[in-house]
């Protein structure tokens, strides 16, 4: 079985260091409808890979299906992640195709003129990976407060006052544990808005600023092979 | 005199908090020649504004003129910065036009099909702001090791071994302090490659995750006025 690429092992190691304790977030850069770059911080949730293919890792984060990034990704399904770990002074820039897994009840208007080639995600599809089960599992692993964040009004819409938020649901129970009609309604809405975001790395640029002189390594996936090059920082 | 916008005051306050001590870095998102998003971490160096116009702030960072981001900015001079301050749980997303101030000896091939409207930078030009003096001042304020980073081979070019870097100049003296021919040559090369990067905010999205319920505020510059809206996080 082909091994995980060296950057993947290095990333896991960096992430496990105590000095990087709160660095499980990265910036996700996309393109908007004006063809301008957009970027925001998201929380890393998990690594996946097709069965038998740890050399094809995928990064998993989550979002609300109503955020602008979802339509941006739909229209231009290629992104770059910047994962800066200040504790250990490591930067991983990770570029590749991206996919959003929505609720089966949600359809985006098809505006995409572009299909981004994918290997890991296509293989998981072929292997019958159950994306909806994964979506429900990740949803259920979140706190009751976090679950409630997906039954707010649409993100980015205008409010009269910060205090308007106090009228929104504050918690949503786990799946199978909603008892009141209100809890059931909120859970349904939260689940409808909750989406997985999957990034398949095909190019990784790793800078190690704690090394003196600094190290910088570029990993490029060609087919199933990872090429590794030492480059000038 | 119009006051600085509230986001600018909030940003300065957040940056001054002890828990945000090492958070003087942000991610700069650009568009590359394939129209794909790119992003990397850069170090915040300074705030500027036109004389008499603190309501038109500009963010200053620096780079090597030979990095891909410089030609990306040249071709598409609009960006978004994501400034995540994990200590205080604040995110500032800052979008607007961008300009690179190169050495007077360096010219980029003109490939830009787009002029991004600017207000603060144009006003500083009209006021006769001395960009080259600023470039020299910022260069000189950097450490001798940092100065030496701009006389390496071109960033991103392939090396045989990490140890090749040990052959590169390790320090470059301050302006006026180069004595040997080698120091003079290195300083000249470093100064030729050193560039300022200026981002003029026209849209700022501030999320405060330490507030419960979370606060999110969007600031939009229309002409010389900043409009402020409370929005759903």
């Amino acid at each position: 079985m082909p091994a995980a690429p060296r950057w993947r092992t290095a990333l896991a190691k960096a992430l496990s260091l105590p000095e990087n304790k709160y660095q499980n977030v990265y910036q996700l850069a996309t393109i908007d409808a004006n063809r301008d770059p957009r970027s925001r911080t998201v929380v890393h949730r998990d690594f996946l890979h097709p069965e038998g293919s740890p050399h094809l890792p995928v990064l998993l984060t989550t979002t609300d299906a109503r955020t602008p990034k979802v339509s941006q990704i739909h229209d231009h399904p290629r992104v770059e992640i910047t994962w800066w770990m200040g504790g250990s002074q490591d930067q991983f820039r990770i570029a590749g195709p991206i996919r959003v897994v929505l609720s089966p009840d949600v359809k985006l208007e098809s505006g995409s003129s572009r299909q981004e080639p994918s290997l890991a995600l296509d293989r998981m599809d072929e292997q019958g990976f159950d994306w909806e089960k994964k979506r429900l599992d990740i949803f259920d692993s979140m706190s009751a407060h976090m679950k409630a964040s997906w039954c707010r009004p649409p993100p980015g819409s205008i409010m009269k006052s910060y205090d308007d938020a106090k009228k929104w649901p504050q918690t949503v129970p786990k799946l199978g544990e909603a008892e009141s009609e209100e809890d059931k309604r909120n859970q349904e809405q939260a689940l409808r808005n909750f989406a997985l975001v999957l990034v398949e790395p095909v190019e990784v640029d790793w800078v190690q600023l704690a090394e003196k002189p600094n190290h910088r390594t570029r990993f490029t996936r060609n087919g199933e092979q990872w090429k590794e090059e030492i480059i000038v920082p």
Side-chain angles (χ1 to χ4, degrees), chain A residues 128-156:
Chain A
F129 187 88
D130 190 341
W131 292 108
E132 177 60 7
K133 180 178 182 304
K134 188 73 186 175
R135 196 178 74 90
L136 298 175
D137 286 350
I138 300 272
F139 177 84
D140 236 13
S141 71
M142 305 276 190
S143 72
H145 277 98
M146 191 73 198
K147 285 188 185 76
S149 74
W150 300 299
C151 48
R152 293 170 184 163

Side-chain angles (χ1 to χ4, degrees), chain A residues 9-73:
Chain A
T9 321
L11 207 170
K13 191 180 162 196
L15 198 55
S16 71
L17 296 172
E19 61 266 39
N20 287 333
K21 188 173 175 189
Y22 297 108
Q23 323 238 302
N24 65 329
V25 298
Y26 39 75
Q27 283 68 38
L28 174 70
T30 56
I31 306 272
D32 72 12
N34 295 327
R35 310 278 96 188
D36 287 329
R38 307 304 307 223
S39 167
R40 77 291 289 157
T41 307
V42 296
V43 179
H44 175 69
R45 299 292 179 188
D46 205 358
F47 289 103
L48 307 176
H49 61 74
E51 213 175 310
S53 300
H55 62 300
L56 302 175
V58 170
L59 283 80
L60 188 157
T61 177
T62 62
T63 191
D64 187 311
R66 301 167 300 169
T67 57
K69 65 173 151 322
V70 171
S71 55
Q72 289 165 15
I73 290 167

Side-chain angles (χ1 to χ4, degrees), chain A residues 4-229:
Chain A
R6 192 168 75 91
W7 66 261
R8 169 70 183 84
T9 321
L11 207 170
K13 191 180 162 196
L15 198 55
S16 71
L17 296 172
E19 61 266 39
N20 287 333
K21 188 173 175 189
Y22 297 108
Q23 323 238 302
N24 65 329
V25 298
Y26 39 75
Q27 283 68 38
L28 174 70
T30 56
I31 306 272
D32 72 12
N34 295 327
R35 310 278 96 188
D36 287 329
R38 307 304 307 223
S39 167
R40 77 291 289 157
T41 307
V42 296
V43 179
H44 175 69
R45 299 292 179 188
D46 205 358
F47 289 103
L48 307 176
H49 61 74
E51 213 175 310
S53 300
H55 62 300
L56 302 175
V58 170
L59 283 80
L60 188 157
T61 177
T62 62
T63 191
D64 187 311
R66 301 167 300 169
T67 57
K69 65 173 151 322
V70 171
S71 55
Q72 289 165 15
I73 290 167
H74 183 69
D75 290 347
H76 190 98
R78 167 111 187 178
V79 298
E80 184 157 66
I81 279 171
T82 310
W83 201 338
W84 168 244
M85 301 194 197
S88 64
Q89 301 275 293
D90 284 285
Q91 177 181 261
F92 295 88
R93 293 174 62 185
I94 300 173
I98 186 166
R99 185 195 287 186
V100 178
V101 177
L102 298 165
S103 156
D105 300 334
V106 175
K107 289 277 172 289
L108 292 180
E109 278 183 44
S110 179
S112 181
S113 56
R114 181 165 163 172
Q115 281 290 332
E116 194 67 24
S118 156
L119 191 58
L121 296 169
D122 287 355
R123 186 162 303 169
M124 292 173 83
D125 289 342
E126 286 156 21
Q127 292 175 347
F129 187 88
D130 190 341
W131 292 108
E132 177 60 7
K133 180 178 182 304
K134 188 73 186 175
R135 196 178 74 90
L136 298 175
D137 286 350
I138 300 272
F139 177 84
D140 236 13
S141 71
M142 305 276 190
S143 72
H145 277 98
M146 191 73 198
K147 285 188 185 76
S149 74
W150 300 299
C151 48
R152 293 170 184 163
S157 49
I158 293 172
M159 300 162 60
K160 287 224 169 98
S161 143
Y162 295 118
D163 283 345
D164 290 358
K166 293 182 179 161
K167 293 175 241 155
W168 304 341
Q170 298 301 309
T171 58
V172 164
K174 287 178 91 71
L175 295 174
E177 293 179 12
E179 297 194 345
S180 71
E181 283 310 306
E182 194 190 345
D183 271 355
K184 283 179 193 168
R185 209 167 45 239
N186 289 340
Q187 193 180 70
E188 198 178 311
Q189 200 197 332
L191 204 51
R192 187 183 158 85
N193 292 328
F194 178 71
L196 304 183
V197 178
L198 302 149
V199 176
E200 177 170 336
V202 295
E203 196 184 308
V204 177
D205 180 331
W206 176 28
V207 179
Q208 298 167 268
L209 294 183
E211 296 285 342
K212 305 291 173 194
N214 303 157
H215 288 190
R216 184 176 178 195
T217 317
R218 182 169 58 210
F219 303 80
T220 316
R221 204 185 74 189
N222 291 310
E224 309 236 347
Q225 303 295 323
W226 285 96
K227 182 175 69 171
E228 184 173 334
E229 293 164 307

